[in-house]
């Protein structure tokens, strides 16, 4: 609650803390690459174990590792472990559990199950080395986000993404760690209220629902924005990949159900996202862009600038305008973004 | 278009064709188990390749194989193959591609990519042995649904589920093939307009959106119902697993956004679904149940009976009341369920 945060929601303050949180996390975790490389020796595929916001981070990790480290990835269904109590052969698998608190019992239990099934175990958590999740893992990458008090996760999400970028480097991706070190400064540049925020927030305050879409790396940022809009704004937000949207749900887009399209400024999925924006507006619906440079902005009804980051790191910056939209929209709708109805900070599911 | 179909939508007629389609499919595919077992020899994990409705079938296959055949499963991101053009090590992986038409270029290309990356390749399609997908696979399980003309898939979906039940048997699951043979008769019993359909359709005609949820095996039926409601009824339907719903999106459920909860009549996920129904109604929202026996019906605002099937096969029957709701709701809203806006039968994505 520093002096410069007076009057701002906790969520808004924590959004602004992301450059410092990212700097601390990247500084702490990049030196630990060799440890992760050693843990992953003689493993092949990667199994992510996560829920909610952490699951959206896992989607980023999944694309990143497949596209740049050549390993198969899977997202665990924790109920296989905790409800069906099945034994799955995980020999040669690296299990990576993500939990901001490190205290969600279902995630801790599923990581323990993965270890018992033969997997090597890695934890990514903001809960510290003493958290139950860290205790259950062979190696833990602790994010350095500090305490997060608003219920909607912001800085614990982007620091998870940074930890996953460290993971892909440790798995041998031919990517430049220097580009990762530049991320905090780029995120800093996104924190000033972006030009064009107000009209988009006003438009979203009037709609009955929204589709949020992106492809490849950017899909994770789209899913996370859809989650933020549901939990902080009670907006009926449907997070769908670009391709899944075209397989049926495109029918739901109409004058009262716009699309928010998220893309990096470069990379192989940008052209398809621009085409999708044209298809949405051609059908008489509005498309709001986040990122994607001039190409996406030009095809959309309105757009917010994204980060000047290479595609593999873009999601860390792409979620920031989305966080700002969610926080401003919640307040516009008379919702306290820090404590949405029905939610607590640590969610326990059986 | 037979005499008894006069006046009914194609979708409604095809819903009614499911018992015959399932009988033909199960009869054709059960004898081919040994061939699939041989293909899968010396493989470990299973990689599903699918989009849209077929992706929901893959979710069923994923739970089924992990819970009952002890193998790790993953859902492919086709853009890794077709957009990022990455090479992923798939040695020891069984790749299973699902496509009703067998002609979606992205799915054909991704299966070819999987083969080139070292995977064994299996296709499940209603497009026949001469379809491009079947041509790309080492072994093909052809579903016997006949021609499907309505855009929303019904009988091609349930026959895909039946093919996946054959797959899990071929992978060594200790399950009873006789229970699978009994499925068509059980589905037949669900075709008469269910008691309680009309009030639920009327209620859904008035809402701004809906959450559809289920856990474990039933999650696939929930996702498929959410897709049907989006594509055939333009309803803002959010398909979420039971646990993911509690990690944030539960906030979106309110008086104008009810939940539809899907569960088998037995099995380890039923109790959690009943608890969720109580939580939804306790928050002042409506919960509509599909399946889950007296326990779920008793905890919901209104409910439709599900199939009398063991949990591992329940999704094949659980989607049927959902199909009937979707078809009736589309007509109530003045939409032709056979050809929703913006959609064609074979979707091509790059």
């Amino acid at each position: 609650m520093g002096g410069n945060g007076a009057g701002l929601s906790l969520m808004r303050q924590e959004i602004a803390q992301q450059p410092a949180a990212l700097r601390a996390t990247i500084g702490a975790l990049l030196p630990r690459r060799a440890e992760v490389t050693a843990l992953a020796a003689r493993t092949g595929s990667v199994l992510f174990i996560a829920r909610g916001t952490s699951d959206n981070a896992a989607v980023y990790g999944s694309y990143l590792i497949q596209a740049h480290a050549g390993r198969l990835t899977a997202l665990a269904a924790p109920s296989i472990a905790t409800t069906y109590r099945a034994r799955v052969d995980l020999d040669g698998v690296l299990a990576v559990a993500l939990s901001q608190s490190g205290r969600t019992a279902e995630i801790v239990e599923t990581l323990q199950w993965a270890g018992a099934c033969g997997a090597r175990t890695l934890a990514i958590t903001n809960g510290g080395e003493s958290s139950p999740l860290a205790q259950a893992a062979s190696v833990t990458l602790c994010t350095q986000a500090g305490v997060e008090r608003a219920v909607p996760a912001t800085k614990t999400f982007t620091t998870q993404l940074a930890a996953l970028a460290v993971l892909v480097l440790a798995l041998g991706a031919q990517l430049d760690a220097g580009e990762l070190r530049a991320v905090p400064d780029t995120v800093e540049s996104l924190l000033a209220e972006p030009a064009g925020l107000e009209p988009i927030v006003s438009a979203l305050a009037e709609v009955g629902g929204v589709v949020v879409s992106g492809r490849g790396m950017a899909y994770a940022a789209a899913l996370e924005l859809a989650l933020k809009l549901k939990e902080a704004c009670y907006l009926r937000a449907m997070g769908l990949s670009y391709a899944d949207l075209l397989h049926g749900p495109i029918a739901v887009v109409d004058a009262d159900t716009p699309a928010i399209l998220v893309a990096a400024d470069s990379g192989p999925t940008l052209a398809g996202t621009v085409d999708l924006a044209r298809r949405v507006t051609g059908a008489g619906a509005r498309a709001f862009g986040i990122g994607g440079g001039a190409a996406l902005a030009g095809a959309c009804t309105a757009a917010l600038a994204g980060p000047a980051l290479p595609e593999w790191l873009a999601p860390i910056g792409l979620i920031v305008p989305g966080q700002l939209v969610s926080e401003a929209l919640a307040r516009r709708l008379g919702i306290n973004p820090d404590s949405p109805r029905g939610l607590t900070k640590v969610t326990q599911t059986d």
Side-chain angles (χ1 to χ4, degrees), chain A:
Chain A
M1 294 295 271
N4 61 353
L8 297 181
S9 69
L10 294 172
M11 184 181 175
R12 184 69 187 77
Q13 295 175 52
E14 289 167 354
I15 291 170
Q17 291 162 10
Q18 291 179 107
L22 285 163
R23 256 177 227 115
T25 299
I26 293 164
L29 299 187
L30 269 178
R32 300 195 52 207
R33 274 174 286 177
E35 216 178 315
V36 176
T37 305
L39 177 70
R42 288 179 299 282
T43 65
S45 53
V46 176
L47 175 67
F48 287 104
I49 300 166
R51 285 288 186 199
T53 290
S54 299
D55 207 25
N56 297 334
V59 169
Y60 170 66
S62 183
Y63 277 88
L64 201 53
I65 288 171
Q66 290 187 85
H68 294 288
R71 288 167 177 248
L72 180 64
T73 61
L75 303 181
S79 67
I80 295 295
T82 62
T83 308
Y84 289 99
R85 302 193 177 279
R87 187 175 171 84
V88 174
D89 178 7
L90 298 181
D91 188 43
V93 172
L94 176 66
V96 179
L98 297 110
S99 163
Q100 56 93 7
S101 70
R103 293 186 286 129
T104 299
E106 175 193 42
I107 300 304
V108 175
E109 193 182 330
T110 303
L111 186 66
Q112 289 167 330
W113 165 88
C117 290
R120 304 280 185 102
T121 54
L122 177 72
I124 295 176
T125 182
N126 199 48
E129 288 286 356
S130 63
S131 66
L133 188 66
Q135 296 292 314
S138 293
V139 174
T140 299
L141 297 179
C142 288
T143 54
Q144 306 291 323
V147 176
E148 187 172 65
R149 289 184 293 159
V151 168
T154 55
K155 60 181 181 171
T156 56
F157 174 70
T158 47
T159 52
Q160 280 177 338
L161 299 190
L164 290 164
V166 171
L167 172 60
V168 79
L169 292 167
L171 295 179
Q174 297 301 305
L175 296 164
D176 178 2
E179 293 178 338
L180 177 58
R181 286 192 195 92
V183 165
D185 285 352
T186 306
V187 168
E188 187 105 52
S189 73
L190 294 167
L191 291 177
E193 176 153 315
L197 183 75
E198 160 55 32
I200 290 178
V201 169
S202 294
L204 292 177
E206 304 296 328
V207 302
V210 67
V211 166
V212 191
S213 187
R215 196 173 199 199
M217 307 290 159
Y219 177 42
L223 286 176
E224 173 61 7
L225 175 53
L227 174 56
K228 285 284 151 293
L229 292 170
K230 279 195 283 280
E231 67 177 1
C233 308
Y234 316 155
L235 185 60
R236 301 176 190 107
M238 294 160 278
L240 293 162
S241 81
Y242 154 88
D244 285 328
L245 182 57
L246 296 182
H247 279 263
I250 190 75
V252 84
V253 175
D254 63 16
D256 192 33
T257 313
I260 301 176
L261 305 178
V262 184
D265 283 4
S266 62
T269 69
L270 176 57
T273 310
V274 173
D275 287 348
L276 179 59
R278 292 207 185 95
R279 183 159 171 177
V280 167
T281 56
R286 285 166 293 175
F288 301 120
I290 295 181
L296 184 59
C300 283
T301 315
L304 300 174
L309 288 172
E311 193 221 8
W312 73 284
L313 295 167
I316 310 180
L318 281 170
I319 192 58
V320 176
Q323 292 167 341
L324 293 169
V325 166
S326 303
E327 195 270 347
L329 179 59
R331 287 186 289 102
R332 180 72 55 92
L333 296 170
I335 299 166
N336 176 358
D338 298 334
S339 53
R341 64 187 179 199
L343 298 179
T344 53
K345 189 69 189 161
V346 179
T347 306
Q348 300 293 4
T349 47
D350 56 51

